[in-house]
Amino acid sequence: MTIAPVQRTASLGSSAWTDARLIMALEEVVETELNRHLKVAKDWMPHEFIPWSQGRDFDGVLGGEAWSVEQSRVTPLGRVSLVVNLLTEDNLPSYHHEIATMFGREGAWGTWVHRWTAEEGRHGIAIRDYLLATRAVDPNELERARMSHMSEGFESDNSHSMLHSVAYVAFQELATRISHRNTGHFAGDPLCDQLLAKIANDENLHMVFYRNLLKAALEIAPDQAMRAIADVVTDFRMPGHGIPGFERAAAQIAIGGVYNLRIHHDDVLQPVLRHLKVMEVGGLGPDGLRAQDELGAFLGGLDAQATKFDERQAALLARRAARKAAQ
């Protein structure tokens, strides 16, 4: 259902572009992107990627075998990253609430919100089934972490603004895609790699949807969209930041090469920003130009930080290799 055509001119002042007006103006874009998504998205069955034959009873009510770390082929790095990824996916009810409240439940927006939620739902199902069937993690610790994380709920840093929300998910979906894909590469199990490749493909399609929506927003409300992009990029953090022990896990994930500053800069921020051509957007007012300048300065600083991280990571890995060789 189309509510209103996209307005391709900046005929409205930036103050006139309220969230309600933007949602209506972008409805046609959402409809187009939704139809494109439904044509290219391919359903897949989570249960087909779970080695059920490896499963057996745990200790407890069924009197099965207690968990121990040597029961799984998954690497320590893969285990940490899988748990972070799963606990992040577990907060889907809160994410759904956030976007349904922001974007609404009617028309193309509502159809997209529910479709996105349905596709995201299978990610947590599949990862948890894999972890339990293969005994990759302590099931008791996993459940305690889930209860703790979900009990805290989730509140977006960007719920104050529709454009900030769209900008955030454009980057966050790509970050999640890369996190899942790299986790699969480092997990030590080809089946896990195959499963996470399926999940990563979903996340990539979600990124394309939001990225294209953000591109349309830059055309109709360039100053506000540029400000949203600059704010999101400079203050970006993953939605799983509230997971118990997240800082320590994130450090392990960064050093291990699953997700770190270099990856964030090169493989998440830059591809989206290049596609949007944000540094080439013209016709900006003072607010938009200021945001564009802030974004450029931040990216230069982040690249320098990433280079320093690369150097520290290389030195740390070299020391670890030397200690291992000396044993």
Side-chain angles (χ1 to χ4, degrees):
M1 178 177 121
T2 301
I3 291 180
V6 176
Q7 302 181 39
R8 298 287 178 186
T9 66
S11 57
L12 292 176
S14 61
S15 61
W17 281 114
T18 63
D19 281 356
R21 292 184 72 99
L22 282 166
I23 287 172
M24 290 185 66
L26 289 168
E27 175 86 10
E28 187 174 328
V29 180
V30 172
E31 183 177 34
T32 299
E33 290 303 312
L34 172 63
N35 290 334
R36 180 199 55 77
H37 177 85
L38 294 176
K39 288 179 181 178
V40 299
K42 300 185 185 307
D43 283 338
W44 55 279
M45 301 298 126
H47 69 273
E48 293 181 357
F49 294 87
I50 310 304
W52 301 106
S53 60
Q54 295 181 26
R56 55 192 186 276
D57 295 344
F58 286 99
D59 58 334
V61 176
L62 298 180
E65 182 182 0
W67 179 84
S68 60
V69 69
E70 68 276 1
Q71 294 168 352
S72 170
R73 71 172 70 181
V74 171
T75 63
L77 175 60
R79 182 176 298 109
V80 170
S81 191
L82 279 162
V83 169
V84 169
N85 289 354
L86 173 57
L87 294 177
T88 301
E89 298 284 358
D90 276 335
N91 249 341
L92 181 60
S94 288
Y95 308 148
H96 174 84
H97 173 77
E98 290 276 336
I99 66 172
T101 301
M102 175 63 69
F103 300 145
R105 301 169 185 268
E106 304 299 327
W109 281 101
T111 302
W112 167 253
V113 166
H114 294 303
R115 173 72 189 199
W116 174 87
T117 302
E119 291 182 3
E120 288 286 344
R122 64 188 169 204
H123 300 168
I125 291 170
I127 296 174
R128 176 168 282 100
D129 285 347
Y130 170 82
L131 292 177
L132 296 180
T134 63
R135 292 181 168 247
V137 298
D138 183 337
N140 296 323
E141 290 300 316
L142 181 64
E143 177 60 11
R144 293 188 187 102
R146 185 192 71 84
M147 286 294 296
S148 176
H149 184 45
M150 292 192 70
S151 294
E152 292 296 320
F154 173 81
E155 183 175 355
S156 171
D157 295 330
N158 305 289
S159 58
H160 62 288
S161 160
M162 175 267 188
L163 281 180
H164 282 72
S165 296
V166 172
Y168 176 75
V169 288
F171 295 103
Q172 182 266 322
E173 292 284 5
L174 182 53
T176 304
R177 179 257 178 196
I178 289 172
S179 179
H180 283 305
R181 198 68 193 94
N182 287 345
T183 297
H185 292 331
F186 287 105
D189 181 359
L191 181 59
C192 182
D193 193 20
Q194 190 177 3
L195 168 62
L196 292 183
K198 283 289 185 183
I199 293 174
N201 186 63
D202 282 355
E203 303 288 7
N204 195 64
L205 292 178
H206 298 163
M207 177 277 294
V208 171
F209 178 95
Y210 288 118
R211 183 197 65 191
N212 292 351
L213 189 58
L214 184 57
K215 184 176 182 179
L218 270 170
E219 294 180 13
I220 67 172
D223 286 87
Q224 283 177 268
M226 188 64 71
R227 169 48 60 194
I229 292 169
D231 289 347
V232 165
V233 168
T234 55
D235 292 327
F236 184 88
R237 57 179 181 169
M238 292 293 275
H241 58 80
I243 292 172
F246 179 79
E247 289 76 13
R248 180 180 180 184
Q252 293 174 270
I253 288 169
I255 293 169
V258 173
Y259 198 96
N260 52 41
L261 275 180
R262 175 54 61 199
I263 292 171
H264 183 64
H265 178 275
D266 292 359
D267 300 333
V268 176
L269 298 183
Q270 289 294 350
V272 174
L273 294 173
R274 281 197 301 268
H275 182 86
L276 298 175
K277 299 180 179 180
V278 293
M279 304 312 294
E280 302 170 28
V281 173
L284 295 170
D287 292 342
L289 287 171
R290 187 160 44 249
Q292 193 177 50
D293 289 343
E294 290 173 12
L295 181 61
F298 175 81
L299 291 172
L302 185 65
D303 186 39
Q305 292 177 43
T307 298
K308 291 180 180 179
F309 171 82
D310 292 341
E311 295 169 353
R312 292 195 300 269
Q313 179 193 33
L316 176 59
L317 294 177
R319 289 195 298 271
R320 289 181 178 177
R323 286 198 299 268
K324 185 175 181 180
Q327 291 177 352

